[in-house]
Amino acid sequence: MNQVKDILSAIGTAGKNEDGSYTRACYSPEYFDAVAVVEKKMKELGMKTRRDAAGNIHGFLPGSETGLKSIIIGSHLDTVPNGGLYDGAYGVAAGLELVRRLKEEGRTLRHPLEIYGFNAEESNPIGGTFGSRAVAGLVDPSQPGLADALKSYGHTLPEIMDLKRDFKNAKCYLELHIEQGDYLFNENLQIGVVSGIVGIVRYRVTAVGHSNHAGTTMMKNRRDAMVAMARLIDRADRCCREIDDTLVLTVGTIRCFPGSENVIPGKVECTFEMRHMDAGKTDELIAKIRQLAAEIDTVEFEIEKKIDKGSVRCDEHLMEVISQAAALEKTTHVVMPSGAGHDANPMAHCLPVGMIFVPSKDGLSHCK
Ligand code: HGY
Ligand code: MN
Ligand code: MN
C-alpha cells in the first residue's frame, strides 16, 4: 500500500502554519524539524545517514552488487514563506517510499540508492539551490555577503567549499516534483517527462531620482523614482510578451526610499527576474529594458545582474526510460520543460538528470 502520503504528512508536521500553509526557511528550526523527520525515516529503513554543513540530509542504501554507481533521488525540504505541502518534500518522500517498498517486497537494487533532502532551494540570503550547489561544487566563494550569512547559520565558507563531490561513483539523479504550473492539471495528464529546466536571470534595478516635498513640488518639477520605475515595469512587461510566449518577467520585490507618505520617492529598488530555456531570449529582453530605461529621463537607472542560472537539459536516455515506464503503467504523460527552478539544475552540471512532474492542484504553487 503506497505510504508516500504518510511520509509526506510526517514531513508536513514541520513548519505548518495556522492557515494550513508551510514555512520552513533555510537553516531555520522548522527546516531542521523536517530534516529530523527524514533522518529518522532513513534510519528506520536501514539507510546510512549524514547531515552536512549546507544543511542537507543524505541517506545511503547499499546495492546487491559492489562497484556499481549510485542512483540518486532528491529534492528540497525548505519552503517559500506560506508555501504548500508538496513543493520539494514530495520528491524526498517519494524516495523514502521507494526504499520502503523495496524493503517490504524484500528486494535490493543492484545499484546503491542515495536520497538527498536539500536545504535552501528556494530564494534566500545565500542564493537558491544552495544545498545542491554546495555538493555540485557551484558555490562562488567570492559571492558578496555569503561568508557573513553562513556565519549567522553557524558555518564557514571552507566547510561549504569542502562539500564539493566528484560524483564519479554516481550514475544519475532523479527528482519527482509538482509541476508548479497549470498545464498537466488543465490537460488532465498524469505526469510530465521533464525535458529541461529554464535559465533564471535576476537583475537589481534601481531608479535614482530626487526626494522632495509631496505638497509643494509641482508635477512638472518632479524626479519621482516610483513613477519612473512603474513606467519601466509596465513597458518591460509589454516588451517581454512581444519577444516570446514562454519568456517570463517577474518584478517580485520593491524597496522605496525614504518610504514616507509625504516624501516624493528619491530612490526605488526592484528585482527583475526573467526565465527562458534559451539565454538569447533573456539577453534580448534585458537589452530592451536597458533601452527603455535610457528613454525615461526623469531619473538615472542602475541595472546590475545578481544571478544567472543557465538552463539545463534533462538526459535523453532517462526521459526515454521514464516515458517507457509510464507507457507500461498506462500513465498518461507528456514531455515538457520546467518553468520552475529545481535542485536538478545544479545536479545536471555533474551527472545525467531525469525529472518527473505531477500536476499541481488547480495549477497553484508557492501558496497555501
Ligand atoms: O523559483 C523557483 O522556480 C523554484 O520553485 N524555487
Ligand atoms: Mn518552490
Ligand atoms: Mn521546488
Side-chain angles (χ1 to χ4, degrees):
M1 170 48 188
N2 185 325
Q3 293 182 17
V4 71
K5 281 202 176 87
D6 302 345
I7 303 172
L8 190 58
S9 311
I11 298 174
T13 58
K16 187 161 191 173
N17 301 312
E18 296 271 302
D19 66 356
S21 65
Y22 296 83
T23 302
R24 296 196 295 264
C26 73
Y27 285 105
S28 67
E30 298 75 19
Y31 169 77
F32 285 111
D33 288 347
V35 167
V37 167
V38 169
E39 188 175 54
K40 179 169 171 289
K41 193 74 193 166
M42 285 175 169
K43 287 187 170 32
E44 284 166 7
L45 292 168
M47 297 184 92
K48 200 149 107 303
T49 67
R50 180 175 46 82
R51 296 188 187 203
D52 68 24
N56 302 319
I57 175 71
H58 176 267
F60 181 85
L61 188 76
S64 59
E65 287 182 27
T66 51
L68 290 182
K69 295 182 175 187
S70 295
I71 295 171
I72 302 176
I73 288 177
S75 197
H76 59 95
L77 290 171
D78 63 310
T79 70
V80 293
N82 299 92
L85 172 62
Y86 292 83
D87 183 358
Y90 189 51
V92 179
L96 293 168
E97 167 61 7
L98 196 150
V99 173
R100 191 200 63 76
R101 291 277 284 281
L102 286 171
K103 295 272 173 197
E104 184 181 69
E105 294 164 8
R107 292 167 59 197
T108 305
L109 294 182
R110 292 187 304 119
H111 293 259
L113 194 58
E114 299 183 32
I115 297 178
Y116 273 107
F118 288 119
N119 183 24
E121 187 277 341
E122 300 292 0
S123 295
N124 64 66
I126 50 180
T129 59
F130 181 78
S132 46
R133 283 188 295 119
V135 298
L138 296 174
V139 171
D140 172 3
S142 66
Q143 178 183 322
L146 177 58
D148 289 344
L150 285 171
K151 199 157 159 242
S152 71
Y153 298 137
H155 291 289
T156 66
L157 206 45
E159 275 183 294
I160 299 299
M161 302 316 284
D162 283 351
L163 296 179
K164 178 177 167 44
R165 189 175 152 178
D166 63 16
F167 285 103
K168 61 178 184 310
N169 59 355
K171 183 136 182 94
C172 65
Y173 171 80
L174 299 172
E175 184 164 358
L176 174 67
H177 205 287
I178 46 171
E179 177 201 344
Q180 299 188 285
D182 58 8
Y183 182 67
L184 294 175
F185 184 79
N186 291 341
E187 301 297 320
N188 199 20
L189 289 162
Q190 288 174 290
I191 69 159
V193 182
V194 181
S195 54
I197 302 170
V198 293
I200 303 178
V201 195
R202 283 195 195 118
Y203 293 87
R204 188 203 340 257
V205 179
T206 309
V208 181
H210 206 297
S211 301
N212 210 331
H213 195 292
T216 58
T217 312
M218 293 305 108
M219 298 311 276
K220 65 181 173 47
N221 300 329
R222 292 185 175 212
R223 297 187 58 217
D224 186 330
M226 184 65 87
V227 170
M229 183 62 86
R231 283 204 183 109
L232 181 63
I233 292 170
D234 178 55
R235 294 173 189 175
D237 179 276
R238 264 187 266 213
C239 184
C240 177
R241 295 164 194 268
E242 284 157 14
I243 292 176
D244 185 278
D245 289 350
T246 60
L247 177 63
V248 288
L249 170 68
T250 308
V251 179
T253 65
I254 186 163
R255 294 202 304 165
C256 169
F257 305 90
S260 166
E261 292 91 338
N262 63 349
V263 180
I264 298 168
K267 185 170 91 166
V268 169
E269 199 181 85
C270 288
T271 318
F272 279 45
E273 181 197 89
M274 47 199 78
R275 300 188 187 197
H276 199 274
M277 280 303 289
D278 169 4
K281 297 294 180 198
T282 46
D283 289 348
E284 185 182 345
L285 178 55
I286 194 62
K288 281 271 190 191
I289 288 171
R290 290 185 192 281
Q291 205 182 318
L292 291 167
E295 290 161 9
I296 298 171
D297 61 3
T298 50
V299 300
E300 291 304 316
F301 278 101
E302 293 156 10
I303 300 177
E304 184 193 358
K305 184 185 278 191
K306 300 306 285 176
I307 284 188
D308 187 346
K309 279 184 199 171
S311 62
V312 294
R313 298 243 169 246
C314 291
D315 178 74
E316 293 287 338
H317 170 67
L318 289 172
M319 286 171 62
E320 190 46 41
V321 169
I322 295 166
S323 301
Q324 283 170 7
L328 267 179
E329 293 287 318
K330 300 206 179 355
T331 301
T332 53
H333 56 287
V334 66
V335 173
M336 61 187 291
S338 171
H342 296 287
D343 291 305
N345 186 316
M347 300 300 275
H349 292 77
C350 308
L351 71 173
V353 303
M355 279 199 81
I356 298 175
F357 274 166
V358 293
S360 283
K361 190 172 179 315
D362 301 329
L364 296 174
S365 183
H366 280 187
C367 59
K368 180 160 81 83

